[in-house]
């Protein structure tokens, strides 16, 4: 049984995240999209709202027989991976700027849990500049983000901002 976690903030889910899910699904039997409950950030969506959005969007995503679930967690990603019985942590790399941070996290996680490998997947070119933060900034200023985030997420952002 090859089980992976795909951890992140997902505030909110973007098509870049979905691209990584689609690419990594064929590599695993089970994947847990793991939404980090990070108390010191100022999120647009609560952890529950983020999990619910992902749960609503996922059934329409082609995951090649990989069974998907969504869970929230707090604390160390390595601990959550271990608790979940995962053998891999999936992360996406968009640009060289992601690499340094991701390398440090992967090495630390490997030290904490030597049996769990971090697997990096390259972002699709069309989403390589997409981040949750950029999507929120552009949307809040009235810019167009369709095609870069799921429609449901756009609707929820509109509701959230009362637009
Ligand atoms: N556009 C994208 N293309 C590919 N991977 C992405 C994209 N946006 C985010 N990711 C990846 O998804 C994972 C979760 O990202 P994010 O929600 O920003 O959480 P974190 O707070 O852990 O960075 C990270 O591995 C990140 O590199
Ligand atoms: Mg990020």
């Amino acid at each position: 049984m090859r089980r992976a976690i795909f951890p992140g903030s997902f505030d909110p889910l973007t098509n870049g995240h979905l691209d990584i899910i689609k690419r990594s699904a064929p590599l695993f039997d089970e994947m847990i999209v793991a939404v980090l409950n990070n108390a010191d950030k100022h999120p647009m969506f609560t952890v529950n709202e983020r999990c619910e959005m992902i749960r609503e969007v996922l059934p329409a995503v082609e995951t090649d027989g990989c069974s998907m679930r969504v869970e929230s967690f707090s604390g160390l990603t390595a601990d959550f991976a271990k608790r979940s019985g995962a053998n891999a942590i999936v992360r996406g790399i968009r640009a060289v700027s992601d690499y340094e941070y991701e390398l440090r996290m992967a090495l630390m996680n490997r030290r904490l849990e030597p049996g769990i490998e971090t697997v990096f997947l390259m972002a699709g070119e069309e989403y390589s500049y997409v981040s949750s933060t950029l999507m929120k900034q552009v949307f809040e200023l009235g810019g167009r983000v369709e095609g870069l985030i799921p429609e449901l997420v756009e609707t929820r952002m509109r509701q959230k901002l009362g637009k």
Side-chain angles (χ1 to χ4, degrees):
M1 173 67 78
R2 293 161 305 164
R3 182 181 293 143
I5 66 163
F6 178 36
S9 310
F10 302 101
D11 183 44
L13 180 73
T14 70
N15 287 349
H17 293 129
L18 288 177
D19 181 66
I20 294 296
I21 290 172
K22 279 183 218 163
R23 285 172 198 281
S24 54
L27 306 175
F28 300 100
D29 303 303
E30 276 185 28
M31 184 139 120
I32 303 167
V33 180
V35 180
L36 176 63
N37 195 347
N38 187 348
D40 47 42
K41 282 193 179 178
H42 295 287
M44 177 180 264
F45 294 99
T46 67
V47 169
N48 280 341
E49 288 171 333
R50 285 179 251 162
C51 288
E52 275 165 27
M53 277 190 274
I54 301 170
R55 285 192 190 107
E56 275 194 60
V57 170
L58 272 185
V61 176
E62 183 47 68
T63 54
D64 200 36
C66 176
S67 92
M68 305 288 309
R69 67 195 145 96
V70 182
E71 285 180 26
S72 62
F73 75 103
S74 351
L76 289 172
T77 303
D79 284 346
F80 179 75
K82 171 90 172 178
R83 271 205 306 284
S84 307
N87 27 48
I89 297 171
V90 169
R91 296 286 289 177
I93 299 260
R94 287 163 289 196
V96 178
S97 49
D98 280 340
Y99 176 78
E100 242 182 279
Y101 172 75
E102 294 294 341
L103 176 67
R104 266 186 282 134
M105 296 303 290
L107 293 177
M108 192 65 219
N109 285 333
R110 189 161 73 190
R111 186 189 176 96
L112 293 168
E113 285 301 335
I116 301 175
E117 280 299 332
T118 300
V119 174
F120 291 112
L121 294 167
M122 301 307 141
E125 304 94 275
E126 66 272 50
Y127 304 121
S128 61
Y129 62 97
V130 173
S131 68
S132 300
T133 305
L134 185 62
M135 295 304 102
K136 286 184 283 193
Q137 286 171 342
V138 171
F139 186 83
E140 282 178 28
L141 296 172
R144 293 176 48 232
V145 289
E146 66 249 45
L148 303 179
I149 56 173
E151 267 176 49
L152 174 94
V153 172
E154 195 177 340
T155 305
R156 293 288 151 79
M157 289 213 292
R158 195 171 296 117
Q159 289 165 347
K160 185 63 82 174
L161 297 173
K163 289 194 182 190

